[in-house]
Amino acid sequence: MTEQEFTRLFGMYRKLVYHVAYCNIGDAAEAEDISQEVFLKLFTRPPVYSEDVQVKSWLIRVTVNRCRDIRRSLRFRLTEHTDEEPTAPAPDEGSSLLDTVMLLSPKLRCVMYMYYYEDCPVKEIAAVLGIKESAVTSRLMRGRAELKKLLEQEELP
Amino acid sequence: MNYKDIFTRAFSEAAPRRSEADAVREIIEKGKSMKTTRHSVKKIFTCVAAAAAVLIVGGVSVGAATGWDFLGAFDKLFAERAEDASYVSPVDFSKMGKELDESFEGDGYTLNVRGAAASDKTLFLLYDVTFTEEFITENNINKTLIANPVAFLKLGESSSSTNTLYMSEGNTFSYCEMYHCHNSSLSGKTVEVEFRSIDAGNYGIISCDHEFDLKIDFAETDDVHTVELDEAIQTGEDTVILDKIVYDAFSIEFISNGVTPNNHGEIWDTLITGHINKTDGTQIALLSAGGLSDGNTGVGSFIADYTIPVPTEDIASITFGDITIPLT
């Protein structure tokens, strides 16, 4: 891959890769490191695709796999938060909409991000994540319900 | 509630801190300093091929070894997962498999079946395809990385497969087809591999059309272990019973009761997040391989590959969720 072609793809998909990593990992610095790793792989060992949309799917898949590896690593497990029931931060904590979305579980927010932000069809999300379409729709349904609940909690006085 | 608007606003706040120019420069410099290879690895869950052009039919027997780097190919296959280019599998593939030498000429390509190795539950089939320049030009070869010749296992048993492109060099693409036998065994069987093109369907990918068979005999193995259980697993609102675990050096099969079409995916999500605990205290992650469930009986079989092969004597237990099950 030429530097010019790589720079073009980097500009086009940098945010996507960062967002997918951030959705999965929930840590900005780690997400940035993962993004660099994924794009380094694209530069040194690019897939032979002719269409940008295929590169996009490849990037998402590589990012999700890398996040999965990191989540399984001992280091990440030792620093991971407990699986407590998510609650919305109090308004005086200066919470943002992103903070609230990030209270969803990684599985739910990743699927919702791809569906609502990236406009990926259910079939594509299923293929990229290696899960069934029914699992995607189920996660979307659960994600909507949980997000609604969290946003309503925030609005409470 | 407009979720699209919520996600658009939320993620407009999330952006990498490093400047784009700096980040690109860092990657390019690092990439140049690395010893680059032309290899690429990609996990594919669905294989495609299409177009009627050439039909090759044939039944063949297994040929003799040719000096092709049979063991090195497996090391290459797993080196990516081990994140170490010099990775050497602790499992002896020379005992579990055989080098093959079968070539099939298609219209614009040659398919070489290179070797196979099998444990009780999983079979690895290595083959490569070399395309001519004309074929590449005519068929926009860039797409063919996901349009490999599809091989189906004929065992008369239920099976699932995944596919990895573990190396590409010039016009030659090397694949590993991995089969997983659910509720059955590969040990001591003659495996009939049937290479067939399948309809591209919604994938819209080009490729070759072919049809030929290959028979491979595998010796019996006793390196397979079964652990009977009665473990309840909570998946969302449902509970399923994990009846049995069968494992060997390549993969692990979970057999469950109470599986419904609705909770199939949830069960799989629960099991696949697990890992193998080795006797030396290290862990080996699991890779999604395949799951089948019977809506009438509620019996489900889920098979996961280890990221890298593990001798069974080195396996101590498996952990998923809050559950750890001894496997010794």
Side-chain angles (χ1 to χ4, degrees):
Chain A
M1 177 174 288
T2 64
E3 290 180 24
Q4 190 180 19
E5 174 65 357
F6 173 74
T7 304
R8 182 183 74 82
L9 291 170
F10 187 86
M12 193 181 295
Y13 295 125
R14 185 190 188 197
K15 263 195 171 179
L16 162 78
V17 170
Y18 175 81
H19 284 164
V20 171
Y22 187 63
C23 276
N24 271 280
I25 293 291
D27 180 276
E30 192 91 63
E32 194 145 359
D33 287 347
I34 292 168
S35 304
Q36 291 292 99
E37 281 179 47
V38 170
F39 279 105
L40 180 63
K41 187 167 185 172
L42 176 69
F43 183 60
T44 56
R45 287 184 290 178
V48 190
Y49 292 138
S50 60
E51 293 176 16
D52 287 345
V53 68
Q54 291 176 308
V55 175
K56 179 183 172 184
S57 293
W58 182 88
L59 284 168
I60 294 174
R61 192 159 52 234
V62 170
T63 307
V64 169
N65 288 342
R66 183 64 191 132
C67 292
R68 190 178 290 161
D69 289 345
I70 287 175
R71 284 212 311 270
R72 284 174 181 157
S73 71
L74 189 59
R75 177 177 61 82
F76 189 80
R77 281 164 187 251
L78 288 173
T79 56
E80 202 170 17
H81 302 302
T82 55
D83 290 331
E84 289 170 0
E85 182 75 15
T87 52
D92 59 2
E93 288 177 2
S95 67
S96 67
L97 198 51
L98 182 62
D99 291 333
T100 308
V101 168
M102 292 304 287
L103 289 171
L104 296 170
S105 73
K107 274 198 297 195
L108 299 185
R109 66 196 184 214
C110 189
V111 166
M112 289 189 84
Y113 166 80
M114 289 171 69
Y115 186 79
Y116 287 113
Y117 190 92
E118 292 294 337
D119 290 324
C120 293
V122 167
K123 188 170 187 171
E124 187 182 331
I125 298 171
V128 167
L129 296 181
I131 59 178
K132 288 188 164 191
E133 288 178 41
S134 59
V136 174
T137 49
S138 158
R139 289 180 193 182
L140 284 172
M141 201 163 65
R142 278 166 47 206
R144 281 194 293 264
E146 286 188 22
L147 185 57
K148 187 178 177 193
K149 194 172 141 191
L150 288 167
L151 291 169
E152 285 170 354
Q153 277 178 17
E154 270 197 324
E155 286 170 4
L156 290 175
Chain B
M1 195 164 288
N2 187 334
Y3 294 98
K4 183 168 179 57
D5 180 55
I6 290 169
F7 271 79
T8 303
R9 283 194 288 137
F11 279 89
S12 65
E13 302 169 24
R17 289 176 200 149
R18 213 171 311 178
S19 80
E20 186 168 319
D22 286 348
V24 167
R25 196 179 313 115
E26 185 185 304
I27 293 170
I28 290 175
E29 284 172 6
K30 197 170 179 181
K32 282 178 173 175
S33 69
M34 288 169 64
K35 183 182 175 185
T36 55
T37 70
R38 294 176 66 82
H39 302 167
S40 65
V41 176
K42 185 162 64 70
K43 183 103 182 206
I44 304 164
F45 291 92
T46 308
C47 319
V48 291
V54 174
L55 188 69
I56 306 167
V57 184
V60 299
S61 58
V62 172
T66 58
W68 182 73
D69 187 7
F70 173 70
L71 299 179
F74 279 106
D75 287 334
K76 276 200 179 76
L77 179 64
F78 292 109
E80 175 87 0
R81 296 175 186 171
E83 294 181 349
D84 179 357
S86 61
Y87 169 81
V88 177
S89 173
V91 170
D92 188 350
F93 282 97
S94 63
K95 284 185 183 169
M96 305 174 80
K98 52 181 69 182
E99 184 176 347
L100 307 171
D101 179 27
E102 294 300 336
S103 292
F104 302 90
E105 292 292 331
D107 187 7
Y109 60 91
T110 303
L111 190 151
N112 295 293
V113 184
R114 296 297 200 172
S119 62
D120 187 62
K121 290 292 172 191
T122 302
L123 178 145
F124 295 86
L125 179 68
L126 302 177
Y127 61 90
D128 56 47
V129 189
T130 303
F131 296 97
T132 62
E133 279 301 327
E134 292 74 23
F135 189 90
I136 288 172
T137 307
E138 287 170 14
N139 294 287
N140 188 7
I141 196 67
N142 284 347
K143 292 182 177 179
T144 59
L145 278 183
I146 54 169
N148 60 320
V150 176
F152 293 105
L153 192 67
K154 286 170 71 178
L155 268 177
E157 308 281 355
S158 58
S159 65
S160 58
S161 69
T162 53
N163 176 305
T164 293
L165 173 73
Y166 68 95
M167 188 168 72
S168 64
E169 199 140 17
N171 294 350
T172 299
F173 303 95
S174 300
Y175 300 95
C176 177
E177 200 87 24
M178 287 161 281
Y179 295 96
H180 306 97
C181 285
H182 297 264
N183 296 313
S184 64
S185 171
L186 282 162
S187 173
K189 289 192 176 169
T190 297
V191 174
E192 288 185 52
V193 182
E194 182 182 322
F195 283 80
R196 294 277 186 278
S197 292
I198 59 170
D199 186 62
N202 294 325
Y203 298 96
I205 307 298
I206 58 121
S207 200
C208 3
D209 193 26
H210 49 256
E211 183 175 337
F212 59 82
D213 301 323
L214 184 67
K215 290 185 180 179
I216 310 169
D217 297 322
F218 282 102
E220 282 197 29
T221 175
D222 56 2
D223 192 21
V224 51
H225 306 269
T226 301
V227 179
E228 302 284 349
L229 297 163
D230 187 17
E231 187 83 44
I233 311 174
Q234 194 67 34
T235 59
E237 293 177 356
D238 298 314
T239 300
V240 297
I241 303 298
L242 185 57
D243 280 342
K244 195 161 54 172
I245 284 178
V246 182
Y247 68 99
D248 56 38
F250 296 161
S251 57
I252 186 162
E253 179 182 28
F254 306 92
I255 297 168
S256 301
N257 250 313
V259 181
T260 67
N262 288 338
N263 67 11
H264 182 113
E266 295 289 337
I267 297 166
W268 183 241
D269 283 346
T270 303
L271 298 174
I272 197 61
T273 51
H275 57 262
I276 294 290
N277 302 300
K278 290 175 67 182
T279 51
D280 65 5
T282 57
Q283 298 174 347
I284 300 290
L286 301 181
L287 286 175
S288 174
L292 292 174
S293 57
D294 185 329
N296 295 320
T297 63
V299 175
S301 159
F302 305 87
I303 296 183
D305 287 333
Y306 313 140
T307 44
I308 52 177
V310 188
T312 53
E313 62 267 27
D314 292 348
I315 295 175
S317 60
I318 181 166
T319 298
F320 51 86
D322 299 328
I323 302 172
T324 294
I325 298 170
L327 296 178
T328 49

